[in-house]
Amino acid sequence: MAHNILIIGGTGVFGKRLVRHLSRQPDLVLYVSSRSAAQAAAFTKTLPLPQAELRPVKLDTRVNLQEQLDHIRPRIVVDCSGPFQGAGYGTAHAVLEAGAHFIDLADARDYLAGFADALDATARRNGVCALTGASSTPTLSTCVARHLTDGWQRVDTIDIAITPGGKSEVGRSVIEAILSYAGTDVPLWANGKLSKTTGWQNAKTIDVPGLGHRRVAAVETFDAEYLGPRLNVQSRVSFSAGLESGIEQRGIEALAALRKRGIIGALDALIPLLLKARHITRIPTSSSGGMLVDICGLDADGVMTQTRWSMVARQDHGPNIPILPAAAAIRKLLSGPAKPGADFAHAELSLADIQDEMQGYDIKTATSAVQTKQSDFENALGPHGMKALPQ
């Protein structure tokens, strides 16, 4: 029996990647949506020898969405459209009311924070699942952190960084998301409680195994305020990202600094210019990117441990990483009954589920751990500070 899957934003940067990935699976009917029927049809013709059945469709979520869902009758709908900053839950509500599972690739903090409260009752009433954040963050990052700290007695610090290859295609929604919080307050878990820092500031250089040095800066994610209390992190949860192009990275940092000082306001007007500029600024960059998750704390035996999970993607395969959690969630939902309700996608997935979707790509992961006598966290607090921490 073939399963109908509707991909909203199927001709966007991430939508295309997800369609290509899923097209290799038989017994799927993929409805590839776009606001332009011609654009959807043209894209589906570029896919060589798909095993899934591809059906291009014209779809605008703002116009008669319920009628379109009744016509397509999907089992699963995946929203790849973005950006999710400032977005509501109207599309998800319509999908759930149509009796279909809903998955999105959202990483916007406010959208993620309100997702379950807004949609759980509707999902339960219709006996379906609504899964949010099925992307690099918060699903992949959370699955990695959960895997690395399984059984640990205490987690002190979690530092996450993503640095994509500079030659990768970047859509308008990505630029719009980046600019939306540049120079504004973003969450940071510091000293065991929720704090804040400035988006695209506090830059640092990290060493990514297999890639070398990359510059990253603080970005807005839900991970800080979510992983902090979830894993009872005693000190810090930070999330940074970096653009391989030095001009692009320094440029966004400069814009963030000007906005922070009130010299400039909203940056949306710059989006067309930045997209055009990338034709030049991306020239000296590579098609290789990576991700790091560094965690320090007491392992299951009570030994101070510093552990690292790293991922390197080459041949411009890095842009596939954000769609792999969604692909894993689709596979999970199709494999058997799922508990109805609204939750984060990582509630249904393990790190192994996502890594299974990496097969066929030039994506390598590695995990290492070093046991030490004392953590940077303990060194900073000293013996009296450690004793003063709540038990």
Side-chain angles (χ1 to χ4, degrees):
M1 176 181 175
H3 304 287
N4 291 354
I5 298 178
L6 169 63
I7 310 297
I8 297 176
T11 59
V13 172
F14 295 123
K16 285 180 179 178
R17 299 270 181 172
L18 182 59
V19 171
R20 289 192 186 101
H21 183 89
L22 296 176
S23 69
R24 301 178 299 186
Q25 300 181 33
D27 300 325
L28 296 183
V29 179
L30 301 179
Y31 287 83
V32 183
S33 85
S34 172
R35 292 178 185 173
S36 165
Q39 188 174 2
F43 167 61
T44 57
K45 291 178 181 178
T46 66
L47 301 179
L49 302 175
Q51 292 184 276
E53 181 181 346
L54 304 178
R55 295 185 182 180
V57 295
K58 179 179 180 180
L59 186 147
D60 187 336
T61 58
R62 301 167 300 179
V63 181
N64 299 325
L65 176 58
Q66 200 68 57
E67 292 181 14
Q68 297 177 80
L69 291 171
D70 291 341
H71 174 69
I72 295 172
R73 301 182 65 82
R75 181 170 180 184
I76 300 174
V77 176
V78 187
D79 190 351
C80 302
S81 58
F84 291 91
Q85 281 78 4
Y89 306 105
T91 297
H93 267 296
V95 170
L96 299 176
E97 292 289 8
H101 299 301
F102 176 82
I103 302 170
D104 66 45
L105 275 64
D107 60 3
R109 179 171 59 94
D110 291 343
Y111 179 92
L112 293 167
F115 185 87
D117 287 342
L119 298 169
D120 190 65
T122 303
R124 290 177 183 273
R125 186 176 69 252
N126 289 281
V128 291
C129 289
L131 301 176
T132 192
S135 192
S136 303
T137 168
T139 292
L140 176 57
S141 53
T142 298
C143 286
V144 172
R146 194 173 58 197
H147 175 78
L148 293 179
T149 61
D150 184 34
W152 277 29
Q153 296 182 17
R154 190 185 75 213
V155 180
D156 291 338
T157 60
I158 301 177
D159 295 299
I160 304 170
I162 294 178
T163 172
K167 290 195 184 303
S168 300
E169 181 184 3
V170 174
R172 179 185 177 89
S173 63
V174 174
I175 300 294
E176 189 174 343
I178 288 174
L179 295 181
S180 68
Y181 59 82
T184 67
D185 289 341
V186 298
L188 173 73
W189 189 262
N191 300 317
K193 62 181 181 180
L194 188 61
S195 183
K196 60 185 178 181
T197 186
T198 303
W200 291 99
Q201 296 290 275
N202 302 315
K204 61 183 179 181
T205 299
I206 62 173
D207 186 15
V208 184
L211 290 182
H213 292 92
R214 294 281 180 95
R215 184 178 174 89
V216 297
V219 294
E220 180 187 76
T221 69
F222 195 57
D223 298 68
E225 59 190 279
Y226 180 73
L227 286 176
R230 179 180 176 85
L231 297 179
N232 193 26
V233 180
Q234 298 296 297
S235 180
R236 180 185 68 245
V237 178
S238 71
F239 203 114
S240 303
L243 309 175
E244 185 183 5
S245 166
I247 296 176
E248 293 176 359
Q249 179 69 21
R250 299 283 184 171
I252 192 65
E253 290 176 22
L255 290 172
L258 292 172
R259 190 178 185 186
K260 176 69 174 178
R261 293 176 174 83
I263 297 175
I264 58 177
L267 304 173
D268 291 355
L270 297 176
I271 294 176
L273 177 62
L274 295 176
L275 285 170
K276 290 181 180 179
R278 288 208 77 243
H279 294 298
I280 298 175
T281 58
R282 66 192 290 190
I283 291 175
T285 63
S286 74
S287 58
S288 298
M291 179 176 179
L292 283 182
V293 180
D294 287 314
I295 302 181
C296 183
L298 294 180
D299 68 10
D301 297 320
V303 178
M304 183 55 61
T305 301
Q306 293 178 328
T307 185
R308 164 176 283 189
W309 181 88
S310 63
M311 175 174 61
V312 173
R314 304 188 186 280
Q315 300 185 60
D316 197 29
H317 288 180
N320 293 295
I321 294 169
I323 62 95
L324 298 183
I330 291 171
R331 192 182 298 274
K332 183 77 72 169
L333 290 175
L334 293 179
S335 66
K339 180 182 178 181
D343 207 336
F344 294 102
H346 62 72
E348 296 291 331
L349 300 174
S350 67
L351 177 58
D353 292 329
I354 300 172
Q355 289 181 321
D356 285 345
E357 300 295 330
M358 296 179 185
Q359 296 180 28
Y361 299 110
D362 191 352
I363 301 175
K364 308 296 183 185
T365 65
T367 303
S368 62
V370 176
Q371 295 181 332
T372 62
K373 292 183 179 180
Q374 199 170 46
S375 69
D376 294 338
F377 174 54
E378 289 177 311
N379 287 331
L381 286 182
H384 296 295
M386 289 298 296
K387 290 180 180 179
L389 287 176
Q391 301 299 315

